[in-house]
Amino acid sequence: MQIFLTISPSKAPLIFPFHPPIPKTPKTQRTSLKTLSKPVNSLKGSPLLPAFGRAIEDDEYRLARSQVLRKGVDLEGYSIEGLSIGGHETCIIIPEFKCAFDIGRCPSRAIHQNFVFITHAHLDHIGGLPMYVASRGLYNLKPPTVFVPPCIKEDVEKLIDIHQTMGHVELNLDLVALDVGETYEMRNNLVVRPFRTDHAIPSQGYVIYSVRKKLKKQYMHLKGKQIEKLKKSGVEITDVILSPEVAFTGDTTSDYMLDPRNADALRAKVLITEATFLDEGCSIEHARQHGHTHIDEIIENAQWIRNKSVLLTHFSSRYHLEDIRQAVSKLQSKLSAKVVPLTEGFKSMHA
């Protein structure tokens, strides 16, 4: 850290402790001024020292904070971060896709994601949407693309209109009503499809697929020039291969696991699913009545899970880190997939 002192003629000069002038010596005996002056010691006793110390400490603190890694998890090549506390806030960010799943309170990292996928209209999952859109405009970022279940599109449009009217601002976004079974191209090698979930209100999850093209079997024996000739003639020579990369459920009962149409969600590389309740204090029946999943249900349906990694989210705020880790350990013993909890925002019972 460099500290600069600027002395302005219009202000009182800075007064340092008096040091008597160095006596003149004959040229043959004169010693270098550099060796006699000690700029660090000359500040001893100065009222500036405490201020310098605080500045250095603050700078060191900021540096240390900047070097702390963002809390999140790395799963199957994806950096997944965010926060998900049942009834409080959910926003899961995957920078590799430039997307966020749900946006309960608009964390700063979400602002730089170009896509937001809304699973349902509860406030802890959609409450931050107007702020997200407004913040994108504030930073001169392009209007985002926001996906919603078709049944809430009109209400979301009204929500945005209300905030525009109240704030006298323009909120620009591309609002897409994407239904279960439909496909949207995010970029040339990435598409998304919603899948059906079961919550207290209309809801849906999302699967993001990577896209690649593979030469059809009947043309594999041909040489390069022959393949090029077929391509120029308009013949479709490739098959499009979709590989499910990440699935996000949002709030749901465990019934989505039993729907054969949701097979891709259960074979994606990463499944991000809720586990609101973890212990006997809340029964499976209680979880189902409120449109949520008990971790015991995930254990019961472990045979259907073909994912490489499972990220558990949306734990009730009643739980501590120790409760979460104990429950995850119980599930991990039943699954071949790697099981990881998203614990950002939860505290230890010993804190």
Side-chain angles (χ1 to χ4, degrees):
M1 175 183 178
Q2 291 181 308
I3 301 176
F4 298 93
L5 298 179
T6 302
I7 300 177
S8 173
S10 61
K11 297 180 181 179
L14 295 174
I15 301 175
F16 294 96
F18 174 77
H19 294 279
I22 301 169
K24 293 183 179 181
T25 59
K27 290 184 179 179
T28 56
Q29 299 179 5
R30 186 168 294 173
T31 307
S32 169
L33 181 63
K34 182 177 179 182
T35 63
L36 289 175
S37 64
K38 298 180 181 179
V40 174
N41 292 337
S42 68
L43 289 176
K44 283 185 177 180
S46 169
L48 292 173
L49 271 181
F52 289 162
R54 287 194 299 272
I56 293 171
E57 289 175 0
D58 290 347
D59 193 64
E60 289 175 349
Y61 173 78
R62 286 192 293 270
L63 178 62
R65 289 292 299 164
S66 70
Q67 291 174 346
V68 173
L69 295 177
R70 291 191 184 94
K71 292 184 179 180
V73 292
D74 292 327
L75 295 174
E76 309 306 325
Y78 296 109
S79 303
I80 304 174
E81 57 190 88
L83 187 70
S84 184
I85 303 174
H88 290 251
E89 174 185 2
T90 289
C91 185
I92 306 298
I93 298 166
I94 305 184
E96 289 85 353
F97 297 149
K98 280 288 185 182
C99 82
F101 293 105
D102 287 335
I103 190 153
R105 294 187 187 178
C106 189
S108 58
R109 278 282 285 162
I111 295 169
H112 298 280
Q113 312 311 313
N114 297 333
F115 304 98
V116 169
F117 301 96
I118 301 296
T119 60
H120 65 289
H122 278 153
L123 275 178
D124 57 322
H125 293 259
I126 199 174
L129 182 60
M131 188 64 183
Y132 163 73
V133 177
S135 298
R136 296 273 302 182
L138 180 66
Y139 290 110
N140 293 317
L141 299 172
K142 70 177 183 178
T145 303
V146 178
F147 301 85
V148 297
C151 62
I152 69 169
K153 183 183 180 184
E154 288 187 12
D155 289 332
V156 173
E157 289 173 338
K158 292 176 184 177
L159 175 68
I160 297 298
D161 286 343
I162 287 171
H163 280 280
Q164 288 187 130
T165 301
M166 290 193 302
H168 299 280
V169 294
E170 189 174 359
L171 301 178
N172 297 311
L173 75 160
D174 183 11
L175 188 62
V176 179
L178 195 64
D179 206 353
V180 171
E182 295 179 338
T183 301
Y184 183 96
E185 184 178 29
M186 298 170 65
R187 57 181 191 238
N188 60 5
N189 64 344
L190 214 62
V191 300
V192 62
R193 286 178 179 170
F195 64 94
R196 199 174 307 282
T197 56
D198 176 39
H199 191 40
I201 62 175
S203 63
Q204 63 189 33
Y206 297 90
V207 179
I208 295 181
Y209 299 80
S210 61
V211 181
R212 62 185 178 89
K213 291 185 177 182
K214 184 179 180 180
L215 188 65
K216 290 183 177 181
K217 289 183 178 180
Q218 61 264 38
Y219 303 127
M220 285 185 175
H221 66 285
L222 298 179
K223 295 181 180 180
K225 289 184 178 181
Q226 293 172 307
I227 293 174
E228 187 66 26
K229 185 176 180 181
L230 282 173
K231 188 177 180 180
K232 287 182 178 179
S233 67
V235 175
E236 184 56 62
I237 60 173
T238 58
D239 289 318
V240 176
I241 308 298
L242 298 182
S243 300
E245 299 291 328
V246 175
F248 178 77
T249 67
D251 290 4
T252 181
T253 68
S254 63
D255 286 352
Y256 81 93
M257 294 183 174
L258 306 177
D259 189 339
R261 293 168 295 184
N262 294 343
D264 283 352
L266 297 174
R267 70 181 187 91
K269 289 180 182 177
V270 180
L271 171 65
I272 307 173
T273 189
E274 74 130 283
T276 304
F277 301 109
L278 304 174
D279 58 10
E280 296 177 357
C282 290
S283 66
I284 291 177
E285 185 59 31
H286 176 85
R288 295 185 64 81
Q289 286 176 355
H290 292 82
H292 292 296
T293 299
H294 195 291
I295 197 167
D296 287 347
E297 295 178 281
I298 302 177
I299 294 173
E300 290 174 6
N301 293 302
Q303 59 180 319
W304 306 115
I305 297 175
R306 297 289 185 266
N307 314 92
K308 292 183 178 180
S309 294
V310 176
L311 181 64
L312 297 180
T313 65
H314 203 265
F315 307 114
S316 169
S317 60
R318 74 187 68 191
Y319 297 118
H320 294 96
L321 287 174
E322 291 80 5
D323 303 319
I324 295 170
R325 288 167 183 160
Q326 182 180 1
V328 168
S329 176
K330 184 179 176 182
L331 174 59
Q332 182 65 83
S333 66
K334 303 295 183 181
L335 282 180
S336 59
K338 179 181 180 181
V339 181
V340 178
L342 187 66
T343 57
E344 174 73 8
F346 290 89
K347 296 181 179 179
S348 169
M349 64 176 66
H350 306 296

